[in-house]
Each structure stands twice: as structure tokens, then as C-alpha cells.
Amino acid sequence: MSEFLSPVKTILFNHKIKFGVFFIVLMLWLFCLPNNLFQDPTSTVVDSSEGSLIGARIADDGQWRFPQMDSVPERFKQSILFFEDEYFYQHPGFNPISIFKAIGHNLTKDSRRGGSTITQQVIRLSRKNKRRTYWEKLIEVFMATRLELRYSKEDILTLYASHTPYGGNVVGLETAAWRYFGIPAHELSWGQSAALAVLPNAPALIFPGRNEQAFLDKRNRLLKKLWEKEIIDETTYELAIAEPLPQKPFPLPDVAPHLTERIRNEHPGQRVTTSLQRPLQQRLNLLAERHYRQLQSNEIHNLAILVLDVETRKVLGYVGNSPSDETHANYVDIITKKRSTGSTLKPFLFASLLDEGQLLPHSLVEDVPTVINGYNPQNFDLKHVGAIPASKALSRSLNVPAVRLLREYGLQKFYNKLHKMKMESLDKPSSHYGLSLILGGAESSLWEVTSTYASMASSLNYFLTHSSTYRNREFTEATYLQNETKDFGKEQFDPLVFGAGSIYSTFQSMYEVNRPEGDENWQFFDSSQPIAWKTGTSFGFKDAWAVGVTPKYAIGVWAGNADGEGRPGLTGITAAAPLLFDVLDALPQSGWFQEPFDDLVELEVCAQSGFRASVYCDDVKKEWVPTHGSRSGPCPYHQQVFLDASEQYRVNSECYPLKDMVAKNWLVLPPILEYYYASSNPNYKPLPPYMEGCSALENNLMEFIYPKKNEVVLLPKDLGTKKSEIVLKLAHQQSNTIMYWYLDELFVGKTENFHELVLPVEPGEYMLTAVDNQGNRIQQVVKVRSASGE
């Protein structure tokens, strides 16, 4: 029995060994391929929204290797199949006949012949082209059969086309198409496809001026084969062989270099389809170059342009800097860098005041010399108009009214609102910025500011088209990714930041601004696009801004020097606004915003003051104002006065018969407002003087212009004299008055009509008193300090 079992055991043992070997080989075969066949770094490739290449950056290993293709163009597919592997769709990864022919050829002849299939070549490429030995060939065959099981034939062709070297540091068909022909792979002709099909077989052929005949012969033999196999007709063949060979590599497109570099940092090694519109981007590049040449004459070397789609918040145009040079930091992407905001935040304050009913669009606001805790804001022209409609104060970008309105609204309250608008660049406490926040005391980027303007426009558009509702995530930053859909949140009836009525009123005020010099009458031309726009200029003339919105587009422009050097004439209106309007002209027409009547209320308004009409307003008109405008107070400046029968003098019951008095409604501004307002408004009628014998009973007849209350007067450094002169100014409501001036009860002089007194003083603290010829007086403490610190 044992003699019988022994052979059986031997047979079973041998079968176990064979099975074990088979199992091991099977396992090796199943797991011989890595999860990622190719792990080489790839170039960062950027496409426009139309799918055309607009920029690329080389891979980390110094190779131009585009990310893997999605598919192989038909012309190249036919070319590579008939050149490399005619039976590609029939074999299981290797072709025995080709292998045996290659072995026979190599053993009997001096030249070398390969028998590798496309699948084997993919394996060889993934193994970094190891030395060609028979053992290596066996490994390639082994792995090629596994590759055929994992991937479809089309996928294998795509792997081959994406990772094949094409000479120099060019890897992959798509890269080669751009480098050698300046076009995408799917646009390659038959001649170009055939040239690239033979090139991986001998990449050294691609050298201008050398090996051209050998290259030409190989390409033409392939084309002839395609003709003989009836893949192409005779005419196509003749046209293809007449095509020139590739010469010196083309530079890759670089239409939006700063965006491409930004994507290289944020999405390295990926192919990114952006929302950029290539024709618009090219137009913006030309505009940027033209304006750069103009600004360069004033030593202004940098600028930036950003164009957004209001509805989707996608980037349509992106010029990160001017075409200057490295000396002037042309490589810096200005769009993402924080700069002083200038006056670009003023519309947000204006809208806030309108939204809460603290202001009506055309209410008079104060524009007089102002000192607040030592802070002395100045208008750009260093002048004052006394009182001006709020809409004009915004459109003319007056600084003093803006600071006074911010103090009235509340600095912290406004700061919190800016954060609701996702202005994350304001990363310090509100006290750090102070009231200068509204004049450029904060920093933000063109990216953030333009996105915020776009969000305001989008909020208004959504209210108008979606049953008077808002979205709770409306204020969202822009995106340059074509496939990214922004989440603007859920619908709600309450506005997140501003109501539609306040946004519309703000835009309307910004729309009515005159355009740059030479185009003042733009609103009368049908070809002009309406736009709500705002300029900004930072302290020291370092930053010039112009930002505008239409129902479809938001445009942001910045001009200046990247190193922060200020230049005379570097202002928003002169350096940035002209470029803004050239960009606007390059965009399709987009109309104007509709009035959001659901968030407006019709109100009787005083025509002269812009406030809600009081009983003393004679000239009343109806206006549509934001809903909460009905909360605003009545006109504070109109009052009833009593005149004599000739209406030349004011009178009262103490000096004139009641039956002969004439009652008149009159616009009466406080003295200091009247002082400046009358000089810039010739139609303004000051109050008539009191009739002789009648006393002025009302208060606030006069007010100091300079020095203001709590203001410290600084004297220049000692120039050899003990005393320096200061100028005292006062506004009085009545004409033909005489003012008597006292310093610490010591009479120092008198003035008539024009009340300005030059007085020599020493540093110290004084009580300044002024008394008019009617006995009315005004006084305040004056602090005088030396600039040397004494």
C-alpha cells in the first residue's frame, strides 16, 4: 500500500508546487502595476472659458509636461497606429509576430529593430526607459498584459500620447502640439499629426537645421502608408507632404501671466479651465499697454484691471500688472495685494446711512473746516462749500462730509458692516483705523473691493428678479474657476447688509458723476454705457482707484507704483478713471438698473435742502427714496421769519406792528455753513438785517471758523522773534456788522463785514471773545503751542 501511495504523494506534491508557482505568478501579475502608473510632476496649464490655452508654467522637474489628455485626436490616433502598432486593437498587450521579427532582425543585422507595442511602450515609459535587455522586454510583456486588463484601448492610447517624449524637455502630444505648431492637439493637420507620430521614435530629429531630411522621409513614408491604406485620400496626401516640418519651438501663450502664476501657486500641476474670456483678455492687455505708456511719462509704472460677472461673480478679465520690467516689479500681481483704499469705501457709508433713514439722497451735509480729537480732514482741493447735497458729496468724493457722516453713523458700526460685506482685509480693530477709515486709512485689494461692488449690484439684481428677496451669502468673493458655482445662500426677506432701495440710490448718485476730462457730456450720447463708478486716491498720491458696476459687470482699476512711490497727478480721476471707461467700452452693452419700487417710498422732499419737507418749505417735490427714509427728520434749515412791509428788514413785535409784518419761509443755514455756502451758491439769499431799533433775539448768529473748538494752534519754530502771528476767522449771519475782538478780556482789534484778524501771540492758553455791534457775543478757549514743543 505504501508503494502505491508514494507516487501519488509525489504527484500531489508536484501539483502543489506548480499551483503555488502559478498562484505566485498570478499574484505578481495582478499587483505588478502601481496604482498611479505615472507620478511625474506636470505643468500647470490654464485655459480660457472657451477652452483655449492662455498660459502654462513648467513642471517642477523642468519638463514641459501637460496633465494627461482626456482623449487622443483621430488624426494622431491613425498616424500613431500605422506607424507604431497597426494591430493595436487585436493583440493582448504584445505582438508575438513583431517580437520574433525583431529578434531575428537584431541577430542577423547590424541595425536595431524594436517589436514593442504601444502598450509595451507605455510600460517602458512608466519604468523610466530602463536599459533595453531581453529580461526587461519580458517584464514589459508581463506588465503590458496586465495593463490591457486594467485599461481600455482608448485609455492606453491616451497614456501613450500624454507621456511620450518629443525631444528636448517636451513631453506629451498636447505639449508638443503647442511647442512645435502653436496650436492644440485636436487642431493638428494630417501632416502635423504624422510628424509628431514619428518623432517619439527618434526625438533627436527635432533640431532645426539638422536631420531635416531624415525627419521628412519618415513623416512622408507614414503619410504614404496612410494613403495606401485609404485612411486619407490622394489630395489630402499631397497637401500633407507639402506641409513644412516644425522648426524652432513656439513660446507658449501667456495671455494672463499673473493669473497663470496665481493658479500655479493655488493649483500646482493641474489643468485649470478659467472663466476668462480670451478675446476680452487680449483687449484688456492692449488697453493696459496703451495706458501704461501714457502713465510712464509721469513715472507711474504699474496698473491692474479686474472685470467680474456680477451675476456669477466669475472673473472675465485679469490684468495683474502693466507690461513694464523687473525694475518696476512687473511680476507683482497687484490685484491680490493690499493697498490704501482711498475713497472707495465712501459708497458703502452712503448706502448705510440711506438704509437706516439717517439721510436722504440729496440732503444737505456739512462741508466746513473740521477738527475731531485733533484729526483735521481736508478735501482734495483744500476748499469748502459749506453745505452740499449728500449725493454730490459722494460723486465729488469730498472728504470732510464723509468724515463727519462717519462720526454721525458710528465708526464701530460701520466697521462691523464692512465685515458683514466680507472685507476680511480689515484685520485690525476699528480704533486702529479711526475716522480715516473712510479716506483710505485701511487697506484692501482690488480683488476684494471689486468683489464687494459686484455683490452690491448682484443683491439689487436679485431683489428685482426674485420677488423682492435677498440671499444670505450674497457678499462672496469672486472666482476664476469656470466650473465653480458660488453658493449665495438661502433666500430671505431681510437684507443682509443693504436694502435694494439704498443700493439703487447709491448707484444713481455714482452714475451721475461726470466722466474724465474731455468727456464731460457723455450722458448725452446713446453709445455711452451707464455705470455707477467711484474713484479713490490715497494719501501721498500713492494709489489711484476707479471702480464701477453695471447690471452685468463690475470693473476695478488700480494705478500707481508697486513700491509705494507717490507721484504728483497720481489720482483716481486722472490715472485710473480713463482706463476704467476704456474697459467699459470694450464690454457689451448692459443697460441700467431698474428702480426697486418695492423697497422705495415716495416722499415729499424740500427742493432746496433735500430733507423731508417741513411746513416751512415752499418748494416741495416728490422723490422715491429708500423705505426707511420716511424715518428721517424734517428740514432743519427752513424757518419762518418776519419782515417789514417792504420785505427789506427783519422785525419783531417789540419794534414793529404785528398787522404790518410779512411772514416768509426762509432757508437759514448756521453761520459757518452760510459763510462757505454763499460764496459757492450765488442764488443763496442771506437773511435781511434787522430794522434799526429791533434786537436780534435768536441765538447762533455767529460762529468761529478758525480756530475750531478744541483745535490746537501750532506756531512755527522760532525764527528770531518772540511772537508769531495767527489768523482768527468768524462767520456772522448779518451783513454790515462790526466785531470787537478780545483776548483774555484785552481788546485786540475790530473787523467790519469781513471778519478776519491777524494777531501776534505767544504759546499759551487764551479766552477768545468776539462781540458784535448789537451786543451779541461768542467765546471759546484757544490753545496755542509751539511746533518746537515749547
Side-chain angles (χ1 to χ4, degrees), residues 37-218:
L37 204 59
F38 295 93
Q39 297 183 351
D40 302 308
T42 56
S43 303
T44 303
V45 181
V46 181
D47 293 327
S48 69
S49 59
E50 303 89 356
S52 62
L53 181 67
I54 59 174
R57 293 294 179 266
I58 201 165
D60 291 341
D61 61 355
Q63 301 292 304
W64 282 110
R65 184 188 298 106
F66 283 18
Q68 185 168 310
M69 303 172 64
D70 294 329
S71 60
V72 179
E74 185 63 26
R75 288 176 184 149
F76 179 80
K77 180 194 294 186
Q78 295 296 337
S79 298
I80 197 64
L81 290 177
F82 279 94
F83 182 75
E84 289 283 2
D85 193 353
E86 194 170 345
Y87 299 98
F88 174 72
Y89 284 99
Q90 285 76 45
H91 64 65
F94 66 97
N95 188 332
I97 297 175
S98 296
I99 292 175
F100 285 124
K101 284 182 179 180
I103 292 173
H105 178 91
N106 295 338
L107 290 175
T108 58
K109 299 183 183 295
D110 294 333
S111 61
R112 311 300 294 174
R113 174 179 173 177
S116 298
T117 62
I118 288 176
T119 312
Q120 287 176 261
Q121 291 184 53
V122 170
I123 295 298
R124 185 168 69 248
L125 291 170
S126 71
R127 290 171 60 79
K128 305 302 180 189
N129 289 314
K130 291 190 176 182
R131 188 172 174 225
R132 297 189 180 187
T133 63
Y134 288 111
W135 174 248
E136 183 63 28
K137 282 288 183 183
L138 184 61
I139 293 175
E140 287 177 7
V141 169
F142 185 76
M143 297 179 70
T145 56
R146 180 67 183 90
L147 187 66
E148 290 276 348
L149 183 66
R150 178 187 287 185
Y151 296 103
S152 69
K153 291 287 187 180
E154 300 302 325
D155 289 339
I156 294 172
L157 271 178
T158 301
L159 286 169
Y160 174 83
S162 300
H163 298 278
T164 304
Y166 283 88
N169 64 346
V170 179
V171 179
L173 173 64
E174 186 69 21
T175 317
W178 279 106
R179 291 291 281 160
Y180 296 137
F181 298 107
I183 57 175
H186 68 270
E187 293 182 9
L188 291 170
S189 66
W190 279 107
Q192 293 166 339
S193 297
L196 293 183
V198 304
L199 192 56
N201 186 257
L205 294 179
I206 190 70
F207 197 99
R210 296 186 193 174
N211 306 318
E212 289 192 5
Q213 191 58 48
F215 190 6
L216 183 66
D217 292 342
K218 293 188 77 164

Side-chain angles (χ1 to χ4, degrees), residues 723-762:
K723 294 184 178 182
S724 296
E725 294 180 338
I726 64 172
V727 179
L728 306 175
K729 293 183 181 181
L730 180 143
H732 200 292
Q733 278 192 341
Q734 297 186 42
S735 58
N736 301 320
T737 56
I738 300 175
M739 296 300 305
Y740 301 93
W741 299 79
Y742 299 85
L743 207 61
D744 286 343
E745 303 301 326
L746 178 66
F747 177 73
V748 292
K750 73 174 182 177
T751 55
E752 297 184 35
N753 297 324
F754 184 70
H755 305 297
E756 185 173 308
L757 182 69
V758 179
L759 188 67
V761 296
E762 294 180 348

